[in-house]
Amino acid sequence: MRANSLDLLRYAVRRVGTRSIGPRSGQCGLRWSSSETRQWSTPLAKQLAEVINTTGPVSVAAYMRQCLTSPDGGYYTRNTTDHDQFGVKGDFVTSPEISQVFGELVGIWLYTEWLAQGQKKKVQIIEVGPGRGTLMNDVLRAISTFKHFAMSVEAIYLVEASPHLMKQQAKLLCGTDELETHDLGWKSTCKYLPRCNIIWCEDIRFVPKEETSTPFILAHEFFDALPIHVFQNTASSTIPASSTILTPTGPIIPKHGPQVPKNHWHELVVSPVQSSSSTQKGDPEEFHLTVSKSPTPHSLYLPQTSERYKALSKIENAIIEISPESLSYISDFAIRIGGANSAPTTPPSSQSLSSTSQVSRSSPTPPFQKATPSGAALILDYGPATTIPANTLRGIRAHRPVSPFTSPGLVDLSADVDFLALAETALSSSPGVEVHGPVEQAFFLSTMGIEERAEKLVRKAKLGKDVVADMDDTVKRLEGGWKRLVDRGPTGMGRIYKAMAIVPYRDGVVRRPVGFGGDVVG
């Protein structure tokens, strides 16, 4: 479980300049002087080092993106026939693999939203980052028991970049890993809803937006794996300000000489360690963080995008993490549910009136509008409820926390989710949505009835098992599973994981969804 490492691993930011680069070597560009003999842990590590030595240090976001999704050995995109990332035998365990009740309750939550919104007919079910398909498997099995809801599902979309995980998902959800080509990517028939296709695509932007459709979007442990940019607030000068001169008419600040230095955001970047240390425990770090000596395009722009970041501009050494890709995804979710903000209207000029045909060809695509907001998005992930994440980049391998700068491609990387940034972006992206949460996972699952559902499964297991030993194991697994999901201990999943919902906002009436303080309606 990734959450086991949240409070165990916090790497220190080393405020040093970028390392010097060795001399040019033939056809290989700029390389460390010892690169010819150095042994890298993975081919991806060597490739990253060669690129950085040639072009300079890269952002944390670029490093994460390559480590997780590079076609040349990324963690999620590499061939894993001999190793699985998920489950007890992999690197971490997720909530759906701990208990089937988790996915069943998510499916029931979708059903309650469908009821509350008037039982719409054209339903899309979308999951981003579906892993092995375990969550969607339990969700679809639960949905199949609600016949009218199941009949309203028009299509199921899985946003997946890994062809290897895609095959695992297809085998679980469709009974076969033989997929047919589709305009958006690939497709196969859902085994739980035989009249529906499951369609795979690499980006949510490929999933069609329709004014009359009702999208139900799931994002479980998805945002924590999206790349982050890390910034540190650094003083631009260490020279003290000129003294204030006291005069009979009041103090005067000299016009010349150094003034109080202003702080500037500098990006933390990744570069190779010149030589591996053999004294540290475990695999040595092959890369490390340094503070960029000069501003980067991201450091000049991203910290200015929110008042929350601006409020830290005068706090020296403050560190913030920002994930532009997360904000892009949550904006897409909100627009699908509630429609986009109307484009600003500007009076046409005389030139535009005289050249209508030319304007029509160059006019931008109008924003997606939705007359009646519908659908919902459920985000389940970990991170602080209100504060800005800082120093949360972590690695995990074989269920143990490791440095994120070892064995690129073999270590899962993640960072805390900034839930408040997601909520702000959703509300600013669409006038037709409202956001609820985040609430602790323990609260969400308890109000959804996890204990009652688990007790029902236990009673069923006791009736269906003839062998006492098998019955005891099943009961222990069922009871231990649901209790683990709602554990509110210091590192418990029920406290660390959060749930957040985006639902339609209509007629000025706020409606709390089930699991967030609301009741079943409709």
Side-chain angles (χ1 to χ4, degrees):
M1 182 187 68
R2 294 176 181 169
N4 287 338
S5 64
L6 297 186
D7 297 322
L8 298 177
L9 181 63
R10 290 294 185 268
Y11 59 84
V13 177
R14 281 167 279 184
R15 296 186 60 203
V16 297
T18 55
R19 302 281 182 174
S20 59
I21 297 176
R24 184 175 297 273
S25 174
Q27 300 176 349
C28 298
L30 293 174
R31 301 172 63 91
W32 299 112
S33 58
S34 60
S35 62
E36 285 78 4
T37 58
R38 181 168 180 176
Q39 297 296 316
W40 296 94
S41 60
T42 64
L44 181 58
K46 180 181 179 182
Q47 183 184 84
L48 282 169
E50 290 177 346
V51 170
I52 293 172
N53 291 341
T54 302
T55 63
V58 298
S59 66
V60 175
Y63 176 79
M64 286 185 69
R65 190 177 296 108
Q66 290 299 309
C67 289
L68 295 177
T69 59
S70 169
D72 301 319
Y75 183 79
Y76 288 109
T77 49
R78 61 190 168 92
N79 192 334
T80 57
T81 53
D82 58 340
H83 176 76
D84 194 354
Q85 299 99 327
F86 309 94
V88 177
K89 296 181 180 180
D91 295 316
F92 56 88
V93 176
T94 60
S95 297
E97 291 159 331
I98 294 174
S99 174
Q100 70 180 69
V101 181
F102 182 88
E104 292 172 349
L105 294 182
V106 171
I108 292 173
W109 187 86
L110 297 180
Y111 175 63
T112 63
E113 274 302 302
W114 179 73
L115 289 176
Q117 296 180 32
Q119 304 182 26
K120 303 288 185 181
K121 296 299 182 184
K122 295 178 63 177
V123 171
Q124 298 173 332
I125 297 180
I126 306 169
E127 184 180 5
V128 290
R132 290 194 300 189
T134 307
L135 173 61
M136 184 57 72
N137 186 63
D138 294 332
V139 167
L140 293 177
R141 187 177 64 251
I143 289 176
S144 67
T145 63
F146 304 108
K147 300 303 181 185
H148 293 292
F149 183 31
M151 290 294 293
S152 71
V153 178
E154 190 175 62
I156 303 161
Y157 296 93
L158 298 183
V159 180
E160 179 58 68
S162 169
H164 311 294
L165 289 176
M166 194 184 302
K167 287 190 174 184
Q168 292 187 48
Q169 297 155 13
K171 196 163 187 178
L172 181 62
L173 302 174
C174 306
T176 177
D177 58 3
E178 297 296 328
L179 302 178
E180 303 176 36
T181 57
H182 185 270
D183 292 342
L184 304 180
W186 305 91
K187 71 173 183 177
S188 188
T189 304
C190 176
K191 69 179 183 182
Y192 292 108
L193 308 176
R195 53 182 294 276
C196 273
N197 281 329
I198 297 180
I199 301 168
W200 283 264
C201 55
E202 294 185 357
D203 195 297
I204 195 170
R205 290 173 294 183
F206 298 154
V207 179
K209 290 188 180 83
E210 298 177 6
E211 183 181 349
T212 58
S213 66
T214 299
F216 288 114
I217 308 168
L218 300 176
H220 175 255
E221 289 203 50
F222 172 73
F223 286 100
D224 66 279
L226 293 182
I228 60 170
H229 289 269
V230 186
F231 305 100
Q232 179 171 323
N233 199 14
T234 306
S236 59
S237 174
T238 57
I239 303 174
S242 298
S243 300
T244 300
I245 301 173
L246 297 178
T247 69
T249 58
I252 294 177
I253 300 176
K255 294 182 179 180
H256 304 286
Q259 304 299 315
V260 177
K262 293 183 178 180
N263 294 339
H264 295 279
W265 291 105
H266 285 248
E267 187 161 10
L268 300 187
V269 292
V270 180
S271 57
V273 176
Q274 190 164 4
S275 60
S276 300
S277 172
S278 59
T279 59
Q280 68 182 91
K281 295 182 180 179
D283 296 332
E285 291 187 345
E286 298 173 294
F287 299 87
H288 65 165
L289 283 177
T290 60
V291 180
S292 175
K293 291 184 177 180
S294 58
T296 64
H298 292 105
S299 69
L300 293 173
Y301 169 69
L302 289 177
Q304 308 304 321
T305 57
S306 171
E307 294 299 324
R308 299 167 67 220
Y309 309 142
K310 293 179 182 179
L312 299 175
S313 61
K314 295 183 180 180
I315 301 178
E316 188 174 348
N317 295 327
I319 293 178
I320 57 176
E321 296 172 355
I322 305 176
S323 174
E325 288 189 34
S326 296
L327 305 184
S328 176
Y329 268 97
I330 206 71
S331 176
D332 183 279
F333 293 179
I335 290 172
R336 288 177 185 275
I337 296 167
N341 292 305
S342 300
T345 57
T346 56
S349 63
S350 58
Q351 181 180 1
S352 63
L353 291 174
S354 62
S355 55
T356 308
S357 60
Q358 183 177 357
V359 171
S360 63
R361 287 195 298 269
S362 60
S363 297
T365 304
F368 174 72
Q369 297 297 319
K370 203 166 185 178
T372 305
S374 64
L378 181 64
I379 295 96
L380 296 149
D381 226 310
Y382 51 80
T386 57
T387 58
I388 302 171
N391 289 341
T392 69
L393 178 65
R394 65 184 65 82
I396 188 168
R397 187 179 185 185
H399 303 277
R400 292 182 298 179
V402 298
S403 168
F405 302 113
T406 61
S407 305
L410 300 180
V411 173
D412 178 45
L413 303 183
S414 63
D416 281 3
V417 175
D418 189 346
F419 280 98
L420 190 52
L422 297 185
E424 287 181 343
T425 302
L427 293 173
S428 63
S429 298
S430 173
V433 300
E434 59 189 45
V435 178
H436 295 269
V439 299
E440 291 183 351
Q441 179 172 284
F443 177 84
F444 174 76
L445 294 178
S446 296
T447 54
M448 288 296 299
I450 187 172
E451 183 175 2
E452 292 77 7
R453 174 57 180 161
E455 288 176 351
K456 184 176 181 179
L457 291 176
V458 168
R459 290 194 298 270
K460 184 178 179 180
K462 289 180 178 179
L463 293 174
K465 296 289 184 181
D466 297 328
V467 182
V468 176
D470 292 344
M471 181 186 69
D472 291 342
D473 289 343
T474 302
V475 170
K476 184 178 179 180
R477 176 175 54 81
L478 290 171
E479 291 183 342
W482 80 265
K483 290 178 180 178
R484 181 179 175 185
L485 293 176
V486 298
D487 177 20
R488 296 194 69 257
T491 59
M493 297 182 73
R495 183 183 71 84
I496 292 175
Y497 281 80
K498 310 290 193 305
M500 189 174 79
I502 304 174
V503 297
Y505 175 74
R506 292 181 294 191
D507 304 325
V509 178
V510 175
R511 174 185 60 83
R512 288 186 177 273
V514 176
F516 295 85
D519 296 320
V520 178
V521 296

